[in-house]
Amino acid sequence: MTRLIFLGAPGAGKGTQATVLATTKSIPHISTGDILRAAVGNKTELGLKAQAYMDRGDLVPDQLVIDLIRERLSQPDAAVGWILDGFPRTVAQATFLDDLLSEINQVYDHAVNFEVPDEVLVQRLLGRGRKDDTEEVIRRRLQVYRDQTAPLIDFYKERQRLVAIDGDRTQPDVAADLEKLL
Ligand code: AMP
């Protein structure tokens, strides 16, 4: 059983690595960003609520993603393991996740932190060409990461669940490292 939380700044490679590892392990890759983008595309109630925050590079309100994750982790496919990519992103979300998991008798193995220098992140994000990847929004997203998400590194360190990976390498190198660590 594999249950992992992928941490790291936008552009750190979490999504790419999560896609590969989830396929190898046959477990769901749960990306709150992907779920929210689909909701925006489908103009659902969730999407309409989330869109303005996402366009600015801000986090959507905790309650929206908390409800989404509670629902997603209750799906049958999530009973065999999962990789959470982009959740939690605030201490409130991380605390919620701990409570939810103890409620449903699950534990995560590790929080994996993908470490990548800021200038590399900016270059990668600029090259990605997603709608929320304009330079101004990128700067905002990195600031939001530092202010609201980076504190989770200590959160998981204190729980002795943190594993760090050097994400400033090629995708296969990072993937190989990840396999070794797990
Ligand atoms: P991502 O694809 O993970 O970079 O997420 C894209 C955008 O979705 C973020 O910039 C946020 O606006 C929103 N988002 C994704 N996950 C979360 C989360 N856990 N908490 C709040 N907002 C989120």
Side-chain angles (χ1 to χ4, degrees), residues 32-33 36-37 53-54 58-60 65 86-87 89 93 130 132 141:
T32 43
L36 289 169
R37 274 186 292 281
Y53 299 96
M54 296 172 74
D58 283 332
L59 297 182
V60 309
V65 280
F87 182 94
R89 258 186 162 93
Q93 291 176 22
R130 214 167 71 186
D132 58 350
R141 295 174 73 215

Side-chain angles (χ1 to χ4, degrees), residues 19-20 29 31 62 73 82 93-94 114 154 157 177:
T19 302
V20 174
H29 165 201
S31 157
D62 284 334
L73 288 182
W82 34 257
Q93 291 176 22
F114 294 83
D154 281 339
K157 239 184 228 164
D177 230 22

Side-chain angles (χ1 to χ4, degrees), residues 46-172:
L46 172 66
L48 295 176
K49 284 183 190 154
Q51 180 160 25
Y53 299 96
M54 296 172 74
D55 286 348
R56 285 196 302 268
D58 283 332
L59 297 182
V60 309
D62 284 334
Q63 200 55 49
L64 293 185
V65 280
I66 281 174
D67 291 345
L68 183 166
I69 283 289
R70 185 197 298 282
E71 215 279 316
R72 184 64 188 86
L73 288 182
S74 76
Q75 299 297 308
D77 66 336
V80 299
W82 34 257
I83 299 174
L84 291 184
D85 161 20
F87 182 94
R89 258 186 162 93
T90 64
V91 172
Q93 291 176 22
T95 304
F96 155 80
L97 181 63
D98 278 1
D99 292 347
L100 174 69
L101 293 178
S102 67
E103 196 182 302
I104 60 178
N105 285 312
Q106 293 190 2
V107 286
Y108 44 83
D109 311 307
H110 305 286
V112 182
N113 186 36
F114 294 83
E115 298 179 330
V116 176
D118 269 13
E119 45 310 346
V120 178
L121 293 174
V122 174
Q123 285 315 309
R124 282 188 187 176
L125 292 169
L126 282 172
R128 200 159 73 169
R130 214 167 71 186
K131 184 175 168 232
D132 58 350
D133 284 342
T134 64
E135 193 160 352
E136 189 194 351
V137 177
I138 287 171
R139 246 184 264 120
R140 175 74 193 144
R141 295 174 73 215
L142 290 175
Q143 187 62 46
V144 165
Y145 168 77
R146 272 182 228 110
D147 293 346
Q148 301 190 58
T149 308
L152 295 184
I153 295 170
D154 281 339
F155 183 96
Y156 290 112
K157 239 184 228 164
E158 283 162 16
R159 284 160 182 72
Q160 296 174 348
R161 281 287 174 277
L162 191 82
V163 166
I165 293 242
D166 175 5
D168 187 15
R169 291 171 306 154
T170 64
Q171 186 267 321

